[in-house]
Amino acid sequence: MKYSQLFGKTVRDFPKEEVSVNAKFLIRAGFIDKLMAGSFTLLPLGFRVKEKIEQIVREEMNATGANEMLMPLLHPKEIWNETGRWDSAKEVMYQFKKDNKEYALSFTHEEIVLDVLRKKISGYKDLPVKIYHFSTKFRDEPRAKSGILRGREFLMKDLYSAHTSNEDFDKYYWEVADAYLKIFKRLGIDVRIVEAAGGVFTDDHTHEFQVLCDQGEDTIFYCDCGKTCDCKFAENKEIATVKEGDKCPKCNDCKIKEGKSIEVGNIFKFGTVYSQKMGVYYNDKDGSRKLVHFGSYGIGITRMIGTLVELFHDDKGILWPKAVAPYQVHLIEIGKDASSIYEKLQEEEIEVLYDERDVSVGQKFTDADLIGVPVRLVVSTKNEDKIEWKERTSEKTELLDFEEVLKRLKESK
Ligand code: ATP
Ligand code: MG
C-alpha cells in the first residue's frame, strides 16, 4: 500500500477528552476515528489489525470443531422475555419502540442461539453443537472512557455450545479455555484465568481471561510467580478469598499481589437454566426428552486492539506484535525511488506500507514510529544499493542486501 493512497493518515489533533493511551495513539496514527463516546470507525489500518486478530481467533475456534455463522443484531422483545432478560438486563440493552412493536439491539446472543437450536435439534445425534460468529454488540456503557477498550458498540467473537450431558459440556468448556490460551499466546499477551461472578449472565461462577495492565478497569489478586513457579493463580477482587501479601493457596510458595487488569475474554457455564427457559430439548437414545447443556464463550475483538496498544507502546507510538501488525514492513524512500523494492517485496507476498510522499525525512520517521509497523526499511541515496533495516523495538540499524532483507522477512512471517 502506498501511503499517499492510504485513507486515514496520521493526525496531529485528536479529541481532547480522550485520556486513554490506546485512543490517543490509535486516533493519531490513523487506525480509528471517533464518532461519539464509545463509538469508533475502524479506518483501513485498524481494519487490517482487526482482520488479523479475527483470523487467529477463527483458526483456534475451528480447531475445536466449531462452525462459523452470523446472527442478526435487531431482536424482538418477545425473545428476551422468554428468559426474563428484557427486564433484568434493561440497563445495558438499547431497547426501543417502532410502530408499536418493541425491539432491542444485540448485547449478546444466547437467546438467539437457543431459538435456532430448538428449531434445529431433534435427537442426540444432532449434538454437540458448537457455533460462533464475529458480530457487533451494543451496550449502554455509562463508563465509556477507556477508548476502544470499552465501546457502546464493539466487536466480539461469541461461541455457543450445546451438549447432551454436563460431562460432555465440561470437557468442551476446558477445550475452549485451552483454545483461548493459544489465541492469547499467539497475540503475544500473558493472560490469567480468573474465577468471577457472572453478572446478568448466570448465578454461577464464570472464568475470565485477564491481562495485567495499569489501564485496566478490573483488579485481580494474582500469584507473583516469578521464576520459582508457574501456577498462574488469580482471583477477581470482587469475590476474592485472598488478599495482597498472602501466601498463594495454589502453589503454597509465592506471595499474592494486587494489580489492575483488562478482561479480554469470558466463558460461561449455564447448565440447563437457559435451555429450560427456552424449551431446548433433544430425544435421547432411550426415547426420553432431555434438556441440552449450554454455555457461551466471548472474546472482545476491538477491546483486544486497544489492549495491545496499552501493553505495547513507547512515547513515540505503537509497537505492534508481528502477528497482528497492519503491515510487515514500513518502507521509506529518501531522495531515491524505492518503487522497484516495493514491487519485489509485494511479489514475494510481503505486506508493505510504502511511504513515497514528498514530505520531510523527519515526518516520515515520526509517522513510522507512531504507526508502529515492526520493521522499518530505508532506501536512500546515502545507503547506495543497501537497504537500512531497523526494528521498531530497537535503536539498532543495519545495512543489508535486498536478499538478506527478504530472507529475514520470510523467516519472521
Ligand atoms: P466488562 O466487565 O469489562 O464490562 P463484561 O464482563 O460485561 O465486560 P462479557 O459479557 O463477558 O463482558 O463479554 C465478553 C467479552 O467482550 C469481554 O471479556 C470483553 O473482552 C468484551 N467486552 C465486553 N464489554 C465490552 C465493551 N463495552 N467494549 C469492548 N469490549 C467489551
Ligand atoms: Mg465478562
Side-chain angles (χ1 to χ4, degrees):
M1 168 61 68
K2 290 184 177 165
Y3 194 69
S4 65
Q5 290 172 14
L6 178 76
F7 180 70
K9 306 256 192 318
T10 57
V11 289
R12 279 217 191 106
D13 298 323
F14 56 90
K16 287 189 189 62
E17 71 275 11
E18 278 307 331
V19 287
S20 66
V21 167
N22 73 85
K24 279 185 186 170
F25 278 141
L26 287 167
I27 292 172
R28 280 182 51 207
F31 286 77
I32 63 173
D33 181 67
K34 184 176 173 181
L35 176 64
M36 60 175 174
S39 172
F40 299 92
T41 293
L42 290 179
L43 294 166
L45 282 180
F47 183 77
R48 286 181 74 91
V49 175
K50 179 216 80 134
E51 292 278 288
K52 293 198 172 180
I53 295 173
E54 281 188 354
Q55 187 52 26
I56 290 173
V57 173
R58 178 178 288 120
E59 284 169 19
E60 298 301 340
M61 290 298 96
N62 291 351
T64 72
N67 294 201
E68 187 172 354
M69 55 188 239
L70 186 59
M71 288 176 273
L73 308 182
L74 182 65
H75 306 159
K77 177 181 181 179
E78 296 73 43
I79 201 95
W80 290 97
N81 268 342
E82 290 193 45
T83 56
R85 288 213 283 185
W86 180 268
D87 291 323
S88 68
K90 226 180 183 73
E91 283 190 4
V92 288
M93 271 169 120
Y94 286 104
Q95 303 178 337
F96 60 96
K97 205 180 222 172
K98 178 99 176 93
D99 298 333
N100 284 328
K101 221 176 133 40
E102 288 185 272
Y103 302 92
L105 294 179
S106 139
F107 85 101
T108 184
H109 275 85
E110 280 82 10
E111 281 76 353
I112 315 307
V113 174
L114 288 158
D115 181 59
V116 177
L117 291 178
R118 71 185 163 192
K119 291 172 187 155
K120 304 283 176 204
I121 290 171
S122 60
Y124 67 95
K125 286 188 181 160
D126 298 325
L127 293 163
V129 171
K130 306 157 184 176
I131 44 186
Y132 72 100
H133 70 170
F134 293 96
S135 85
T136 299
K137 300 283 182 276
F138 298 89
R139 294 186 186 181
D140 190 4
E141 296 278 4
R143 299 178 290 165
K145 63 171 174 43
S146 305
I148 201 170
L149 291 179
R150 182 172 295 286
R152 292 199 284 168
E153 176 177 341
F154 59 96
L155 292 174
M156 196 200 282
K157 180 285 303 174
D158 34 331
L159 164 73
Y160 302 85
S161 77
H163 306 258
T164 53
S165 67
N166 189 44
E167 208 183 6
D168 193 51
F169 172 79
D170 214 53
K171 196 166 143 265
Y172 187 62
Y173 183 85
W174 290 109
E175 212 179 307
V176 175
D178 258 359
Y180 272 30
L181 292 178
K182 283 188 196 143
I183 290 166
F184 298 128
K185 194 163 177 211
R186 287 177 68 180
L187 294 172
I189 65 173
D190 186 20
V191 297
R192 306 269 173 153
I193 298 187
V194 175
E195 225 178 83
V200 295
F201 287 90
T202 169
D203 296 335
D204 208 353
H205 280 178
T206 72
H207 291 92
E208 296 172 346
F209 293 75
Q210 297 273 3
V211 55
L212 286 164
C213 176
D214 288 342
Q215 268 57 51
E217 292 182 4
D218 286 26
T219 304
I220 60 168
F221 289 122
Y222 63 99
C223 176
D224 185 23
C225 302
K227 291 189 187 87
T228 48
C229 94
D230 193 26
C231 89
K232 300 253 178 193
F233 172 85
E235 273 183 355
N236 199 308
K237 191 175 183 178
E238 288 172 14
I239 54 148
T241 58
V242 294
K243 59 180 189 317
E244 188 160 47
D246 284 357
K247 203 178 232 190
C248 172
K250 190 169 169 197
C251 66
N252 231 336
D253 185 13
C254 316
K255 283 257 159 51
I256 293 294
K257 267 198 175 175
E258 181 176 333
K260 287 278 177 205
S261 64
I262 301 174
E263 180 196 316
V264 285
N266 204 172
I267 58 178
F268 301 84
K269 295 180 185 187
F270 299 124
T272 54
V273 176
Y274 278 111
S275 43
Q276 176 141 39
K277 285 183 175 161
M278 291 196 58
V280 188
Y281 293 91
Y282 70 97
N283 291 321
D284 209 351
K285 278 181 197 152
D286 59 7
S288 61
R289 214 162 153 254
K290 289 185 178 156
L291 288 166
V292 302
H293 294 256
F294 182 70
S296 71
Y297 318 80
I299 289 185
I301 301 293
T302 38
R303 179 175 287 185
M304 181 55 67
I305 299 176
T307 302
L308 292 170
V309 177
E310 293 290 347
L311 293 173
F312 306 118
H313 69 267
D314 61 14
D315 55 349
K316 294 182 192 148
I318 306 168
L319 309 157
W320 290 110
K322 275 186 204 138
V324 298
Y327 291 92
Q328 278 176 278
V329 287
H330 193 124
L331 173 64
I332 290 177
E333 65 179 29
I334 302 173
K336 188 177 174 184
D337 179 32
S339 56
S340 64
I341 306 279
Y342 171 58
E343 274 151 30
K344 275 195 248 169
L345 288 171
Q346 285 202 312
E347 276 163 28
E348 298 288 342
E349 297 188 344
I350 304 293
E351 297 167 346
V352 193
L353 185 59
Y354 170 31
D355 193 346
E356 27 61 283
R357 291 173 303 167
D358 189 15
V359 298
S360 72
V361 180
Q363 186 173 346
K364 288 189 180 187
F365 283 180
T366 307
D367 284 348
D369 282 343
L370 183 58
I371 294 168
V373 169
V375 175
R376 187 185 81 189
L377 299 178
V378 177
V379 170
S380 72
T381 34
K382 190 183 95 196
N383 298 339
E384 297 183 353
D385 283 347
K386 302 269 190 197
I387 299 170
E388 184 192 272
W389 169 288
K390 182 185 167 298
E391 291 172 23
R392 179 65 182 84
T393 50
S394 148
E395 286 310 312
K396 191 173 125 193
T397 57
E398 293 170 86
L399 285 179
L400 307 174
D401 291 332
F402 176 77
E403 281 64 36
E404 177 62 18
V405 167
L406 189 60
K407 191 169 148 250
R408 287 192 188 184
L409 291 173
K410 286 197 158 172
E411 275 168 9
S412 70
K413 245 190 168 182

